[in-house]
Amino acid sequence: MPHSFILGTRASKMARTMAHGAKKMLEEAHPGLEVIVQEFLSDGCKTPGDLKLLGGKGAFVKDLEHRLLNKEIDCAIHCLKDVPGDEPMHPDLQLFCFLHREDPRDALIMRPGLAEPTKDQKAVLATSSPRRHALLKHLYPNAEIIPLRGNVDTRMQKLQNGEFDGMVLSYAGLGRLEMQQHVTKIYDPKEMLPAVGQGILVLQVRKEDVERCKHLRAINSDLTEKIVAAERALLMHLQGDCYSAIAGYCEETVDGFAMRGLVASHDGQTILMAEAAQDLSKPTVELGMVVAHQLLQQGAREIIDSHA
């Protein structure tokens, strides 16, 4: 195990909070280890506007991967939901350590004085996610759904300024920033199925350094790793990218795992749902593929391709 270790992260307040949380866990697990957090401003943070022009959510990941490959850092930390799942990762990199899953649910924040919209209300709601866009249109058919970029503080300021009536964010992210007090409603997963990997932080390393980085596995969650295998198998099998309205949520049951998957049209008019369960004798990757196959049988390919 090295005496010091460079952990690369984006420079946003949220990312710094994630990185320093991982640093604390690693240093507690390995007394004497120094974890140095190195911050970088990614293209996704620097450029306003449509993320699609930068390569989608992967823009937040690619810069750190580049620095990892160039050996500027020893490890990178990502929100798993930002790591593209529609194509294989760079062959020299590996997702190596999965932290315990935080709350995967989505949260609605309305402008002070406003309640959750009704189905008939013409509210203006903001989100950066195609999945949330589709499900918000399904829940609130008369609402206008607008795109939203920026860090959480920027988004909160826009809300306070009256640029829209409400927005949907990750409840885990709000928890990291201690901003849960602003939440109007937390959506049950049955109402708004979470994104693949939502609430999960992952440490990525170079494959050539796997042996050198074994100490990272001290903070790995075996349960989270199994959940990740199922959810990312769903995404890979569907060949959905970050412009597709896809959701996948796997959870532990008394005797195994259960998973639900969803593919939706952008306007929320068509919602395809599938679910399956399996016992502990099978690898969870099979569960994700079963759910994906059910969705494809229902016509998910046509919906996904229409978003490309």
Side-chain angles (χ1 to χ4, degrees), residues 171-199:
Y171 188 64
L174 292 168
R176 293 180 197 122
L177 297 176
E178 299 182 348
M179 298 178 69
Q180 306 99 313
Q181 71 274 19
H182 299 291
V183 172
T184 304
K185 174 186 175 71
I186 303 172
Y187 292 100
D188 187 281
K190 294 179 181 178
E191 195 173 19
M192 186 173 286
L193 198 64
V196 167
Q198 185 156 307

Side-chain angles (χ1 to χ4, degrees), residues 102-124:
E102 299 172 69
D103 196 319
R105 295 176 296 174
D106 294 293
L108 173 69
I109 300 179
M110 297 296 292
R111 196 151 31 91
L114 297 181
E116 177 191 359
T118 64
K119 282 187 174 292
D120 300 325
Q121 193 172 339
K122 295 183 178 181
V124 179

Side-chain angles (χ1 to χ4, degrees), residues 20 24 60-61 72 84 105-106 110 137 152 171 191-192 220-221 223 238 247 260 276 283 301:
H20 282 278
K24 181 180 179 182
F60 293 125
V61 174
E72 297 175 52
R105 295 176 296 174
D106 294 293
M110 297 296 292
K137 283 299 292 182
V152 175
Y171 188 64
E191 195 173 19
M192 186 173 286
N220 184 71
S221 165
L223 173 59
L238 288 175
R260 280 172 287 155
R301 177 83 278 130

Side-chain angles (χ1 to χ4, degrees), residues 45-282:
C45 296
K46 289 183 284 188
T47 307
D50 190 352
L51 264 183
K52 191 170 184 176
L53 301 176
L54 293 171
K57 292 185 297 182
F60 293 125
V61 174
K62 289 173 185 175
D63 180 68
L64 288 177
E65 289 188 331
H66 177 73
R67 296 179 187 279
L68 192 55
L69 289 166
N70 283 349
K71 300 190 176 181
E72 297 175 52
I73 57 178
D74 298 304
C75 173
I77 186 168
H78 309 292
C79 287
L80 186 63
K81 69 180 179 64
D82 292 337
V83 179
D86 58 320
E87 57 186 29
M89 186 172 298
H90 190 286
D92 295 331
L93 298 178
Q94 181 174 333
L95 299 180
F96 190 61
C97 176
F98 303 90
L99 277 61
H100 177 75
R101 186 174 218 164
E102 299 172 69
D103 196 319
R105 295 176 296 174
D106 294 293
L108 173 69
I109 300 179
M110 297 296 292
R111 196 151 31 91
L114 297 181
E116 177 191 359
T118 64
K119 282 187 174 292
D120 300 325
Q121 193 172 339
K122 295 183 178 181
V124 179
L125 303 176
T127 177
S128 60
S129 160
R131 173 188 61 89
R132 290 173 182 152
H133 183 287
L135 294 178
L136 285 171
K137 283 299 292 182
H138 183 72
L139 290 170
Y140 315 109
N142 289 314
E144 177 186 1
I145 314 299
I146 63 172
L148 180 63
R149 286 283 313 281
N151 60 40
V152 175
D153 287 336
T154 298
R155 297 182 187 200
M156 287 296 297
Q157 189 60 56
K158 289 180 178 181
L159 180 66
Q160 298 291 336
N161 291 344
E163 295 185 29
F164 42 83
D165 299 316
M167 59 184 178
V168 176
L169 302 173
S170 159
Y171 188 64
L174 292 168
R176 293 180 197 122
L177 297 176
E178 299 182 348
M179 298 178 69
Q180 306 99 313
Q181 71 274 19
H182 299 291
V183 172
T184 304
K185 174 186 175 71
I186 303 172
Y187 292 100
D188 187 281
K190 294 179 181 178
E191 195 173 19
M192 186 173 286
L193 198 64
V196 167
Q198 185 156 307
I200 298 173
L201 302 180
V202 60
L203 301 182
Q204 184 183 40
V205 301
R206 294 179 291 272
K207 282 187 177 177
E208 66 182 47
D209 286 344
V210 164
E211 190 66 23
R212 176 174 173 265
C213 294
K214 284 195 304 184
H215 61 286
L216 297 179
R217 297 286 294 179
I219 64 171
N220 184 71
S221 165
D222 292 340
L223 173 59
T224 301
E225 191 165 7
K226 291 175 182 176
I227 285 169
V228 166
E231 293 182 9
R232 286 183 66 81
L234 168 88
L235 197 56
M236 182 68 75
H237 200 59
L238 288 175
Q239 285 296 290
D241 57 27
C242 59
Y243 321 124
S244 308
I246 293 174
Y249 180 49
C250 179
E251 55 188 334
E252 188 179 29
T253 62
V254 174
D255 54 1
F257 292 90
M259 184 172 179
R260 280 172 287 155
L262 174 152
V263 173
S265 61
H266 189 69
D267 60 8
Q269 294 295 309
T270 303
I271 305 284
L272 305 181
M273 291 283 296
E275 59 184 302
Q278 68 178 39
D279 59 34
L280 296 172
S281 66
K282 297 179 181 179

